[in-house]
Structure formats: C-alpha cells, structure tokens
Amino acid sequence: MSQVRTGLGWDNHRIRSGRPLIVGGVRIESDAGLEGHSDADVLSHAITDALLGAAALGDIGMHFPDSDAQWAGADSQQFLAHACALVREGGWEIVNVDSTVILERPKLKEYRERMRAQLAATMGIEVERVSVKFKTAERVGPVGQGQSAEAQAVVTLGRE
Ligand code: C5P
Ligand code: MG
C-alpha cells in the first residue's frame, strides 16, 4: 500500500448506576453503566472518531449530532459501521485498530474476545486486525474514583 493514514480517537462518559454498560458492542454485567444520548459505548465512539480522523472526515458529533432525537439510545455499532462505509467510499482499507478502555471496575478482560469479534464484524475486517486493551486508573482522578470511563483508539488506513 503506497498511502497510509493514522487516526486518533478519544471518548469519555460518566458512570451512573442503573444504566446498561455496553463496551465494544458487548453488554457487560454490571450494576452501573455509562450515561449518554446514545447507548454511550465509549470504546465504539473512540474507534469511530479514529476512523473519521484517519480519513479527515470530521468527528462523530458532525455525523451523528446528539441534539438529533434520531440518535437517542442509538446502538453505537451503527455509528461505527457508518464511519467504515464513509472511509471505504474514500477508497481506504482498514489496516488495523488498537484501543484502550480505562475503567476502574468491573474487570473487562473476560469480554475481550467477544468485543474483538463484535467490532471486527461491524467493521468488516478480520478479528486479528482488532486489538482491545483495558486499564484501571489506579484509583486516581474521576476514572479512578469510578465517576467515568475513557477510551482511546488508533486506526491505520491504507490505499494503493
Ligand atoms: O490498570 P492495571 O494495570 O492494574 O490493569 C491490569 C490488567 O487488568 C490490565 O492489563 C487488564 O488486563 C485488566 N483490566 C481489566 N478490566 C479493567 C481494568 C483492567 O480487565 N477494567
Ligand atoms: Mg461517546
């Protein structure tokens, strides 16, 4: 591939008890979840922004404004699939995605393979191109105090 582009994504959502916890398109067993206009899937939002960033196509809020009732409670896999379609319309192939979710609890590692499989299916790429990592914030700051969760993602695109 003669052309390569990299995109960076970051997202942050507040934690609230009673909300569903959905990360990477997978429902996680937890008594608290993430607050947001859509399903608040912090990881899928970070990956969506990384894809849009790599192709210089703006950001998630430009394509799916949270002021638009159409996206209330939306499944974020829909946002991710749409970003992949836009990127491919530009002639780009998705080479790989690497990501990190920063969440104090619950532990997410037992969900890793399910998240990779779901994200790969939504993005239309092989599972081996999708990496998902997890970290706590070591009890420091809002993430460490269990008030919020963050996610970071890097996407590489290529085209001839
Ligand atoms: O944050 P810390 O370095 O203590 O995390 C150690 C490991 O715990 C991570 O590499 C990850 O495998 C796992 N982890 C997890 N779910 C979290 C945070 C960390 O599975 N919410
Ligand atoms: Mg978000």
Side-chain angles (χ1 to χ4, degrees), residues 49-101:
D49 256 0
L51 281 158
L52 294 171
L57 290 170
D59 59 27
I60 194 168
M62 188 181 122
H63 295 277
F64 307 101
D66 64 6
S67 52
D68 189 338
Q70 185 187 346
W71 308 120
D75 176 354
S76 297
Q77 298 309 288
Q78 208 183 322
F79 303 160
L80 183 57
H82 185 69
C84 290
L86 291 175
V87 155
R88 290 193 173 103
E89 276 170 29
W92 295 103
E93 273 179 48
I94 301 161
V95 176
N96 79 305
V97 49
D98 185 22
S99 62
T100 304
V101 180

Side-chain angles (χ1 to χ4, degrees), residues 43 47 96-100 112 116 119 126-133 152-154:
L43 174 58
I47 296 173
N96 79 305
V97 49
D98 185 22
S99 62
T100 304
R112 189 187 328 263
R116 292 180 71 208
L119 292 167
E126 299 99 323
V127 171
E128 58 97 10
R129 294 175 186 266
V130 180
S131 161
V132 182
K133 311 189 301 303
Q152 305 169 339
V154 174

